[in-house]
């Protein structure tokens, strides 16, 4: 796991080694073990290494091909690299290292962009072709590893993180359209960032920059496709295949020349992963993050899952570590968090930083359960709301779009953003939402099709946001996170798995407010125990039944209570300060009124408050 960064001058101006060093120094946290720089006239690329496979200098990067024509800078892990190595050796390639890096390099030389379809893993990498003067960039199918780029037709800059690009002489302007997008969805669905002209290479895409033609071309090589397989296979048959694929996925991701640990919450996903990993890896180290619930109420009383995690650690005989977060831990870490995260994304992410910080004290690699919910229907209340009484694509979009307006609804966008409204009035967040489905051929005739399209949407947007957060905050602590649920074969299986094996009650009228789970969700689970049905059945083999069939609970702190309790002064210090930078973009009076609704208990606006605090810190640091 590493950090990459580079510059290509369209004007064919010399690139300095110092310029590249500044870039990789800014992302040293991604790779504290080694650094490397390659500069050739008008092209330069750098690399920061976190040594995981082949710890010797033979795996040093940037890696140059035997014929000196190709230069690779790579971030990621290819879990099937040993099989690909055998295939390449049969074609005459000779290897000088035991790393997956050399396999990536030779795979590109042999198969060019077709190599991407052979890789089972997570990656973001660049390859410079000296003879053809062409730069190739690629990102993995799901977006586990980030890759950003900037193009002003004078120079093309790319890096694992935006802060590396910001070391170069570029205009550091905020993208107002993205501000509007984020404060609608609490996420960014497009390829934009908060920095104008810095974009993210989308998952499942590759990019060529041709210096001779002064062209930049982006191509999509893979996309999600959820559908109900037309088959007479039994549930037992699907269950058997799932069990085989899941175990193989976990085992594949245990390849390492350094110690591996695992996150262990009180849930199905991390519990099942830990169970299998602990068999292959005796005395596995596990990590749990809990919360001080002394002031919590309602469903927040269930947010601390340490007891369940400790029980599973006892069963799996792991070496277990845990930490407890209090309200002031959020206040303390927010500036540092915003620096590493670079821009706000989904959810209240500071617990992710703390748990990765804890794990990094003991291991360099950790397994995570991210992806299980999005692939197997872990949020059934989201799908039911839009799967009933619909018969057209437009009606589906209308309903689902309203559901995903998580922060500021359209009806008050003009008032909230009055200081910048003239610059964003042309923005249609509904069109942004609708464009996520541009590759989908809608068949709007069954609840199953509606739900499959909703699963597609969440994998493209919500999961992608989670993966960006996970990467940035784990790498901030020089920790590699692996996600076994995003094994290629397991994802292919999950996409074709009939909806009825994921969700039970397709005709449910259950409607839940994502912003405030409340007691309704608790009653819902006690009554139906829905979502991830086949995964729950498989998990029964590995974890206690009380956990595999327990309530769904995300990794979340009791911020709703804290914001109007222990952290109220911190919230007021920023939101009630007319000098806060957020008010260069938002109307102070309206924002205060929205926040007051939370502080008085009238509404739950925990997501909005978190987003405002995060946005303010980002503005202080980067603008």
């Amino acid at each position: 796991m590493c950090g990459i960064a580079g510059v290509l001058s369209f004007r064919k101006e010399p690139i300095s080694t110092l310029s590249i060093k500044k870039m990789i120094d800014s992302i040293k946290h991604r790779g504290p073990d080694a650094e490397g720089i390659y500069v050739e006239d008008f092209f330069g690329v750098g690399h920061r290494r976190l040594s995981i496979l082949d710890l010797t200098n033979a795996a040093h990067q940037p890696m140059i091909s035997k014929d000196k024509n190709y230069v690779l800078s790579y971030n990621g892990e290819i879990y099937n690299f040993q099989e690909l190595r055998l295939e390449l050796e049969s074609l005459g390639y000779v290897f000088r290292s035991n790393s997956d890096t050399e396999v990536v390099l030779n795979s590109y030389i042999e198969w060019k962009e077709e190599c991407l379809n052979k890789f089972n893993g997570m990656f973001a990498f660049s390859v410079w072709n000296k003879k053809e003067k062409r730069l190739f960039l690629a990102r993995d199918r799901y977006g586990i590893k980030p890759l950003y780029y900037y193009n002003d037709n004078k120079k093309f800059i790319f890096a694992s993180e935006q802060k590396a690009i910001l070391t170069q002489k570029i205009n550091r302007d905020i993208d107002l359209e993205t501000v509007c997008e984020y404060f609608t969805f609490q996420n960014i669905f497009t390829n934009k960032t908060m920095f104008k002209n810095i974009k993210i290479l989308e998952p499942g895409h590759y990019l060529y920059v041709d210096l001779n033609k002064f062209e930049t071309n982006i191509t999509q090589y893979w996309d999600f496709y959820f559908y109900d397989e037309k088959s007479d296979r039994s549930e037992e048959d699907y269950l058997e295949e799932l069990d085989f694929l899941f175990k193989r996925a976990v085992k594949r991701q245990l390849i390492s020349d350094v110690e591996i640990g695992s996150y262990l919450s009180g849930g199905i996903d991390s519990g099942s992963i830990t169970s299998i990993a602990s068999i292959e890896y005796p005395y596995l180290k596990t990590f749990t993050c809990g919360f001080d619930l002394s002031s919590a109420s309602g469903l927040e009383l269930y947010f601390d899952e340490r007891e369940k995690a400790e029980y599973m650690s006892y069963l799996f005989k792991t070496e277990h570590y845990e930490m407890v977060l209090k309200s002031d831990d959020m206040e303390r870490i927010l500036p540092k968090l915003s620096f590493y995260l670079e821009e706000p994304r989904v959810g209240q992410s500071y617990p992710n930083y703390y748990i990765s910080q804890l794990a990094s004290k003991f291991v360099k690699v950790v397994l995570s359960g991210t992806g299980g919910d999005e692939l197997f229907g872990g949020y059934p209340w989201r799908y039911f709301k839009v799967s009933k009484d619909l018969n057209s694509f437009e009606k589906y979009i209308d309903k689902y779009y309203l559901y995903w307006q998580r922060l500021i609804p359209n009806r008050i966008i003009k008032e909230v953003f009055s200081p910048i409204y003239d610059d964003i009035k042309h923005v249609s967040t509904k069109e942004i939402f609708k464009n996520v489905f541009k590759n989908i051929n809608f068949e709007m005739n069954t609840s199953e099709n509606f739900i499959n399209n909703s699963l597609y949407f969440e994998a493209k947007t919500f999961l992608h946001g989670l993966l960006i957060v996970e990467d940035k905050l784990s790498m901030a602590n020089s920790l590699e996170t692996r996600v076994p649920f995003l094994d290629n074969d397991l994802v292919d299986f999950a996409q074709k798995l009939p909806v009825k094996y994921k969700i039970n009650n397709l005709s449910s009228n259950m409607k839940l407010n994502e912003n405030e789970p409340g007691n309704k969700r608790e009653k819902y689970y006690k009554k139906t125990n829905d979502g991830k049905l086949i995964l729950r059945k498989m998990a029964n083999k590995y974890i206690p039944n009380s956990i595999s069939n327990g309530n769904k609970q995300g990794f979340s702190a009791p911020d709703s209570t804290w914001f109007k309790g222990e952290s109220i002064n911190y919230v007021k210090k920023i939101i009630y300060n007319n000098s806060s930078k957020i008010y260069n973009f938002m109307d102070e009076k309206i924002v205060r009124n929205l926040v007051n609704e939370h502080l008085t208990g009238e509404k739950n606006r925990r997501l909005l408050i978190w987003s405002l605090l995060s946005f303010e810190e980002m503005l202080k640091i980067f603008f």
Side-chain angles (χ1 to χ4, degrees), residues 590-614:
I590 294 178
V591 168
R592 282 191 183 187
N593 288 340
L594 292 172
V595 172
N596 280 337
E597 288 178 346
H598 182 93
L599 301 185
T600 60
E602 183 180 344
K603 299 277 188 180
N604 187 331
R605 299 203 183 276
R606 64 187 179 92
L607 298 182
L608 176 60
I609 293 174
W610 166 259
S611 297
L612 291 168
L613 298 176
S614 301

PDB file of all heavy atoms in Angstrom, residues 590-614:
ATOM      1  N   ILE A 590     -30.366  31.284   8.422  1.00  0.00           N
ATOM      2  CA  ILE A 590     -31.075  30.044   8.090  1.00  0.00           C
ATOM      3  C   ILE A 590     -30.323  28.832   8.627  1.00  0.00           C
ATOM      4  O   ILE A 590     -30.928  27.888   9.159  1.00  0.00           O
ATOM      5  CB  ILE A 590     -31.288  29.940   6.566  1.00  0.00           C
ATOM      6  CG1 ILE A 590     -32.244  31.043   6.115  1.00  0.00           C
ATOM      7  CG2 ILE A 590     -31.831  28.566   6.184  1.00  0.00           C
ATOM      8  CD1 ILE A 590     -32.500  31.083   4.643  1.00  0.00           C
ATOM      9  N   VAL A 591     -28.999  28.853   8.512  1.00  0.00           N
ATOM     10  CA  VAL A 591     -28.206  27.744   9.035  1.00  0.00           C
ATOM     11  C   VAL A 591     -28.397  27.627  10.545  1.00  0.00           C
ATOM     12  O   VAL A 591     -28.594  26.528  11.080  1.00  0.00           O
ATOM     13  CB  VAL A 591     -26.718  27.920   8.687  1.00  0.00           C
ATOM     14  CG1 VAL A 591     -25.852  26.932   9.472  1.00  0.00           C
ATOM     15  CG2 VAL A 591     -26.498  27.718   7.196  1.00  0.00           C
ATOM     16  N   ARG A 592     -28.367  28.749  11.237  1.00  0.00           N
ATOM     17  CA  ARG A 592     -28.575  28.716  12.695  1.00  0.00           C
ATOM     18  C   ARG A 592     -29.939  28.160  13.047  1.00  0.00           C
ATOM     19  O   ARG A 592     -30.082  27.386  14.006  1.00  0.00           O
ATOM     20  CB  ARG A 592     -28.435  30.124  13.264  1.00  0.00           C
ATOM     21  CG  ARG A 592     -27.005  30.600  13.418  1.00  0.00           C
ATOM     22  CD  ARG A 592     -26.992  31.876  14.229  1.00  0.00           C
ATOM     23  NE  ARG A 592     -25.661  32.439  14.359  1.00  0.00           N
ATOM     24  CZ  ARG A 592     -25.387  33.473  15.132  1.00  0.00           C
ATOM     25  NH1 ARG A 592     -26.356  34.066  15.825  1.00  0.00           N
ATOM     26  NH2 ARG A 592     -24.153  33.944  15.217  1.00  0.00           N
ATOM     27  N   ASN A 593     -30.956  28.545  12.293  1.00  0.00           N
ATOM     28  CA  ASN A 593     -32.309  28.047  12.560  1.00  0.00           C
ATOM     29  C   ASN A 593     -32.379  26.541  12.399  1.00  0.00           C
ATOM     30  O   ASN A 593     -33.027  25.844  13.194  1.00  0.00           O
ATOM     31  CB  ASN A 593     -33.319  28.723  11.632  1.00  0.00           C
ATOM     32  CG  ASN A 593     -33.552  30.180  11.992  1.00  0.00           C
ATOM     33  OD1 ASN A 593     -33.271  30.598  13.120  1.00  0.00           O
ATOM     34  ND2 ASN A 593     -34.054  30.956  11.056  1.00  0.00           N
ATOM     35  N   LEU A 594     -31.723  26.023  11.364  1.00  0.00           N
ATOM     36  CA  LEU A 594     -31.702  24.571  11.142  1.00  0.00           C
ATOM     37  C   LEU A 594     -30.995  23.861  12.303  1.00  0.00           C
ATOM     38  O   LEU A 594     -31.466  22.831  12.792  1.00  0.00           O
ATOM     39  CB  LEU A 594     -31.004  24.245   9.823  1.00  0.00           C
ATOM     40  CG  LEU A 594     -31.732  24.670   8.544  1.00  0.00           C
ATOM     41  CD1 LEU A 594     -30.827  24.465   7.326  1.00  0.00           C
ATOM     42  CD2 LEU A 594     -33.028  23.880   8.366  1.00  0.00           C
ATOM     43  N   VAL A 595     -29.886  24.408  12.730  1.00  0.00           N
ATOM     44  CA  VAL A 595     -29.128  23.803  13.825  1.00  0.00           C
ATOM     45  C   VAL A 595     -29.901  23.909  15.137  1.00  0.00           C
ATOM     46  O   VAL A 595     -29.898  22.978  15.958  1.00  0.00           O
ATOM     47  CB  VAL A 595     -27.743  24.463  13.946  1.00  0.00           C
ATOM     48  CG1 VAL A 595     -27.018  23.984  15.204  1.00  0.00           C
ATOM     49  CG2 VAL A 595     -26.909  24.167  12.710  1.00  0.00           C
ATOM     50  N   ASN A 596     -30.586  25.030  15.344  1.00  0.00           N
ATOM     51  CA  ASN A 596     -31.394  25.201  16.558  1.00  0.00           C
ATOM     52  C   ASN A 596     -32.470  24.139  16.684  1.00  0.00           C
ATOM     53  O   ASN A 596     -32.829  23.724  17.786  1.00  0.00           O
ATOM     54  CB  ASN A 596     -32.038  26.588  16.576  1.00  0.00           C
ATOM     55  CG  ASN A 596     -31.069  27.668  17.027  1.00  0.00           C
ATOM     56  OD1 ASN A 596     -30.092  27.381  17.704  1.00  0.00           O
ATOM     57  ND2 ASN A 596     -31.334  28.907  16.640  1.00  0.00           N
ATOM     58  N   GLU A 597     -32.999  23.708  15.539  1.00  0.00           N
ATOM     59  CA  GLU A 597     -34.022  22.651  15.572  1.00  0.00           C
ATOM     60  C   GLU A 597     -33.464  21.370  16.177  1.00  0.00           C
ATOM     61  O   GLU A 597     -34.195  20.597  16.795  1.00  0.00           O
ATOM     62  CB  GLU A 597     -34.542  22.390  14.158  1.00  0.00           C
ATOM     63  CG  GLU A 597     -35.413  23.504  13.615  1.00  0.00           C
ATOM     64  CD  GLU A 597     -35.884  23.240  12.204  1.00  0.00           C
ATOM     65  OE1 GLU A 597     -35.337  22.327  11.539  1.00  0.00           O
ATOM     66  OE2 GLU A 597     -36.803  23.945  11.743  1.00  0.00           O
ATOM     67  N   HIS A 598     -32.173  21.154  15.995  1.00  0.00           N
ATOM     68  CA  HIS A 598     -31.543  19.987  16.612  1.00  0.00           C
ATOM     69  C   HIS A 598     -31.275  20.227  18.094  1.00  0.00           C
ATOM     70  O   HIS A 598     -31.574  19.376  18.941  1.00  0.00           O
ATOM     71  CB  HIS A 598     -30.224  19.651  15.914  1.00  0.00           C
ATOM     72  CG  HIS A 598     -29.551  18.428  16.474  1.00  0.00           C
ATOM     73  ND1 HIS A 598     -29.755  17.174  15.948  1.00  0.00           N
ATOM     74  CD2 HIS A 598     -28.708  18.261  17.533  1.00  0.00           C
ATOM     75  CE1 HIS A 598     -29.062  16.295  16.654  1.00  0.00           C
ATOM     76  NE2 HIS A 598     -28.408  16.924  17.621  1.00  0.00           N
ATOM     77  N   LEU A 599     -30.745  21.388  18.409  1.00  0.00           N
ATOM     78  CA  LEU A 599     -30.374  21.675  19.790  1.00  0.00           C
ATOM     79  C   LEU A 599     -31.573  21.699  20.721  1.00  0.00           C
ATOM     80  O   LEU A 599     -31.453  21.389  21.912  1.00  0.00           O
ATOM     81  CB  LEU A 599     -29.627  23.011  19.865  1.00  0.00           C
ATOM     82  CG  LEU A 599     -28.343  23.127  19.032  1.00  0.00           C
ATOM     83  CD1 LEU A 599     -27.650  24.455  19.298  1.00  0.00           C
ATOM     84  CD2 LEU A 599     -27.393  21.965  19.312  1.00  0.00           C
ATOM     85  N   THR A 600     -32.746  22.046  20.180  1.00  0.00           N
ATOM     86  CA  THR A 600     -33.959  22.068  20.990  1.00  0.00           C
ATOM     87  C   THR A 600     -34.706  20.738  20.972  1.00  0.00           C
ATOM     88  O   THR A 600     -35.728  20.593  21.642  1.00  0.00           O
ATOM     89  CB  THR A 600     -34.906  23.181  20.495  1.00  0.00           C
ATOM     90  OG1 THR A 600     -35.256  22.930  19.130  1.00  0.00           O
ATOM     91  CG2 THR A 600     -34.251  24.550  20.620  1.00  0.00           C
ATOM     92  N   GLY A 601     -34.206  19.787  20.196  1.00  0.00           N
ATOM     93  CA  GLY A 601     -34.842  18.477  20.128  1.00  0.00           C
ATOM     94  C   GLY A 601     -35.996  18.394  19.157  1.00  0.00           C
ATOM     95  O   GLY A 601     -36.668  17.367  19.073  1.00  0.00           O
ATOM     96  N   GLU A 602     -36.229  19.452  18.387  1.00  0.00           N
ATOM     97  CA  GLU A 602     -37.347  19.451  17.441  1.00  0.00           C
ATOM     98  C   GLU A 602     -37.082  18.527  16.253  1.00  0.00           C
ATOM     99  O   GLU A 602     -37.967  17.839  15.765  1.00  0.00           O
ATOM    100  CB  GLU A 602     -37.588  20.881  16.944  1.00  0.00           C
ATOM    101  CG  GLU A 602     -38.778  21.020  16.007  1.00  0.00           C
ATOM    102  CD  GLU A 602     -38.960  22.454  15.553  1.00  0.00           C
ATOM    103  OE1 GLU A 602     -38.379  23.364  16.170  1.00  0.00           O
ATOM    104  OE2 GLU A 602     -39.711  22.665  14.580  1.00  0.00           O
ATOM    105  N   LYS A 603     -35.844  18.515  15.757  1.00  0.00           N
ATOM    106  CA  LYS A 603     -35.443  17.670  14.627  1.00  0.00           C
ATOM    107  C   LYS A 603     -34.105  17.026  14.954  1.00  0.00           C
ATOM    108  O   LYS A 603     -33.363  17.499  15.821  1.00  0.00           O
ATOM    109  CB  LYS A 603     -35.277  18.501  13.349  1.00  0.00           C
ATOM    110  CG  LYS A 603     -36.531  19.216  12.868  1.00  0.00           C
ATOM    111  CD  LYS A 603     -37.415  18.295  12.062  1.00  0.00           C
ATOM    112  CE  LYS A 603     -38.566  19.070  11.434  1.00  0.00           C
ATOM    113  NZ  LYS A 603     -39.443  18.205  10.640  1.00  0.00           N
ATOM    114  N   ASN A 604     -33.784  15.957  14.237  1.00  0.00           N
ATOM    115  CA  ASN A 604     -32.452  15.374  14.344  1.00  0.00           C
ATOM    116  C   ASN A 604     -31.653  15.798  13.118  1.00  0.00           C
ATOM    117  O   ASN A 604     -31.890  15.312  12.021  1.00  0.00           O
ATOM    118  CB  ASN A 604     -32.533  13.852  14.419  1.00  0.00           C
ATOM    119  CG  ASN A 604     -31.169  13.224  14.714  1.00  0.00           C
ATOM    120  OD1 ASN A 604     -30.133  13.771  14.365  1.00  0.00           O
ATOM    121  ND2 ASN A 604     -31.185  12.081  15.357  1.00  0.00           N
ATOM    122  N   ARG A 605     -30.729  16.718  13.311  1.00  0.00           N
ATOM    123  CA  ARG A 605     -29.928  17.208  12.189  1.00  0.00           C
ATOM    124  C   ARG A 605     -28.438  16.902  12.437  1.00  0.00           C
ATOM    125  O   ARG A 605     -27.564  17.701  12.135  1.00  0.00           O
ATOM    126  CB  ARG A 605     -30.139  18.703  11.995  1.00  0.00           C
ATOM    127  CG  ARG A 605     -31.589  19.065  11.675  1.00  0.00           C
ATOM    128  CD  ARG A 605     -31.699  20.388  10.955  1.00  0.00           C
ATOM    129  NE  ARG A 605     -33.073  20.756  10.711  1.00  0.00           N
ATOM    130  CZ  ARG A 605     -33.811  20.336   9.682  1.00  0.00           C
ATOM    131  NH1 ARG A 605     -33.279  19.507   8.800  1.00  0.00           N
ATOM    132  NH2 ARG A 605     -35.061  20.734   9.537  1.00  0.00           N
ATOM    133  N   ARG A 606     -28.183  15.722  12.994  1.00  0.00           N
ATOM    134  CA  ARG A 606     -26.809  15.333  13.319  1.00  0.00           C
ATOM    135  C   ARG A 606     -25.929  15.314  12.066  1.00  0.00           C
ATOM    136  O   ARG A 606     -24.760  15.736  12.118  1.00  0.00           O
ATOM    137  CB  ARG A 606     -26.789  13.970  14.012  1.00  0.00           C
ATOM    138  CG  ARG A 606     -27.284  12.823  13.152  1.00  0.00           C
ATOM    139  CD  ARG A 606     -27.412  11.506  13.913  1.00  0.00           C
ATOM    140  NE  ARG A 606     -27.916  10.454  13.037  1.00  0.00           N
ATOM    141  CZ  ARG A 606     -27.126   9.627  12.347  1.00  0.00           C
ATOM    142  NH1 ARG A 606     -25.826   9.732  12.465  1.00  0.00           N
ATOM    143  NH2 ARG A 606     -27.644   8.709  11.569  1.00  0.00           N
ATOM    144  N   LEU A 607     -26.462  14.834  10.947  1.00  0.00           N
ATOM    145  CA  LEU A 607     -25.654  14.764   9.728  1.00  0.00           C
ATOM    146  C   LEU A 607     -25.316  16.158   9.209  1.00  0.00           C
ATOM    147  O   LEU A 607     -24.195  16.402   8.748  1.00  0.00           O
ATOM    148  CB  LEU A 607     -26.392  13.968   8.644  1.00  0.00           C
ATOM    149  CG  LEU A 607     -26.708  12.500   8.960  1.00  0.00           C
ATOM    150  CD1 LEU A 607     -27.385  11.841   7.763  1.00  0.00           C
ATOM    151  CD2 LEU A 607     -25.451  11.732   9.342  1.00  0.00           C
ATOM    152  N   LEU A 608     -26.275  17.064   9.277  1.00  0.00           N
ATOM    153  CA  LEU A 608     -26.031  18.426   8.828  1.00  0.00           C
ATOM    154  C   LEU A 608     -24.995  19.114   9.714  1.00  0.00           C
ATOM    155  O   LEU A 608     -24.070  19.779   9.215  1.00  0.00           O
ATOM    156  CB  LEU A 608     -27.331  19.233   8.821  1.00  0.00           C
ATOM    157  CG  LEU A 608     -27.183  20.724   8.466  1.00  0.00           C
ATOM    158  CD1 LEU A 608     -26.595  20.899   7.072  1.00  0.00           C
ATOM    159  CD2 LEU A 608     -28.517  21.448   8.601  1.00  0.00           C
ATOM    160  N   ILE A 609     -25.131  18.954  11.030  1.00  0.00           N
ATOM    161  CA  ILE A 609     -24.184  19.599  11.946  1.00  0.00           C
ATOM    162  C   ILE A 609     -22.773  19.073  11.704  1.00  0.00           C
ATOM    163  O   ILE A 609     -21.812  19.847  11.624  1.00  0.00           O
ATOM    164  CB  ILE A 609     -24.607  19.375  13.411  1.00  0.00           C
ATOM    165  CG1 ILE A 609     -25.919  20.126  13.694  1.00  0.00           C
ATOM    166  CG2 ILE A 609     -23.512  19.829  14.371  1.00  0.00           C
ATOM    167  CD1 ILE A 609     -26.500  19.847  15.065  1.00  0.00           C
ATOM    168  N   TRP A 610     -22.648  17.765  11.578  1.00  0.00           N
ATOM    169  CA  TRP A 610     -21.328  17.187  11.295  1.00  0.00           C
ATOM    170  C   TRP A 610     -20.765  17.756   9.991  1.00  0.00           C
ATOM    171  O   TRP A 610     -19.579  18.105   9.908  1.00  0.00           O
ATOM    172  CB  TRP A 610     -21.415  15.666  11.196  1.00  0.00           C
ATOM    173  CG  TRP A 610     -20.190  15.058  10.588  1.00  0.00           C
ATOM    174  CD1 TRP A 610     -20.032  14.618   9.308  1.00  0.00           C
ATOM    175  CD2 TRP A 610     -18.928  14.860  11.230  1.00  0.00           C
ATOM    176  NE1 TRP A 610     -18.756  14.156   9.113  1.00  0.00           N
ATOM    177  CE2 TRP A 610     -18.061  14.296  10.279  1.00  0.00           C
ATOM    178  CE3 TRP A 610     -18.446  15.106  12.515  1.00  0.00           C
ATOM    179  CZ2 TRP A 610     -16.737  13.960  10.564  1.00  0.00           C
ATOM    180  CZ3 TRP A 610     -17.123  14.779  12.803  1.00  0.00           C
ATOM    181  CH2 TRP A 610     -16.288  14.216  11.837  1.00  0.00           C
ATOM    182  N   SER A 611     -21.591  17.874   8.975  1.00  0.00           N
ATOM    183  CA  SER A 611     -21.138  18.359   7.677  1.00  0.00           C
ATOM    184  C   SER A 611     -20.711  19.822   7.747  1.00  0.00           C
ATOM    185  O   SER A 611     -19.725  20.227   7.114  1.00  0.00           O
ATOM    186  CB  SER A 611     -22.237  18.176   6.635  1.00  0.00           C
ATOM    187  OG  SER A 611     -22.533  16.808   6.457  1.00  0.00           O
ATOM    188  N   LEU A 612     -21.433  20.614   8.506  1.00  0.00           N
ATOM    189  CA  LEU A 612     -21.060  22.019   8.673  1.00  0.00           C
ATOM    190  C   LEU A 612     -19.719  22.148   9.399  1.00  0.00           C
ATOM    191  O   LEU A 612     -18.851  22.943   9.000  1.00  0.00           O
ATOM    192  CB  LEU A 612     -22.150  22.763   9.453  1.00  0.00           C
ATOM    193  CG  LEU A 612     -23.477  22.975   8.733  1.00  0.00           C
ATOM    194  CD1 LEU A 612     -24.538  23.443   9.723  1.00  0.00           C
ATOM    195  CD2 LEU A 612     -23.335  23.979   7.583  1.00  0.00           C
ATOM    196  N   LEU A 613     -19.540  21.373  10.448  1.00  0.00           N
ATOM    197  CA  LEU A 613     -18.277  21.406  11.193  1.00  0.00           C
ATOM    198  C   LEU A 613     -17.112  20.963  10.309  1.00  0.00           C
ATOM    199  O   LEU A 613     -16.038  21.572  10.323  1.00  0.00           O
ATOM    200  CB  LEU A 613     -18.367  20.507  12.430  1.00  0.00           C
ATOM    201  CG  LEU A 613     -19.415  20.870  13.482  1.00  0.00           C
ATOM    202  CD1 LEU A 613     -19.433  19.822  14.591  1.00  0.00           C
ATOM    203  CD2 LEU A 613     -19.161  22.261  14.064  1.00  0.00           C
ATOM    204  N   SER A 614     -17.327  19.909   9.543  1.00  0.00           N
ATOM    205  CA  SER A 614     -16.279  19.383   8.662  1.00  0.00           C
ATOM    206  C   SER A 614     -15.941  20.375   7.559  1.00  0.00           C
ATOM    207  O   SER A 614     -14.766  20.569   7.213  1.00  0.00           O
ATOM    208  CB  SER A 614     -16.721  18.052   8.049  1.00  0.00           C
ATOM    209  OG  SER A 614     -16.996  17.101   9.043  1.00  0.00           O
TER     210      SER A 614
END
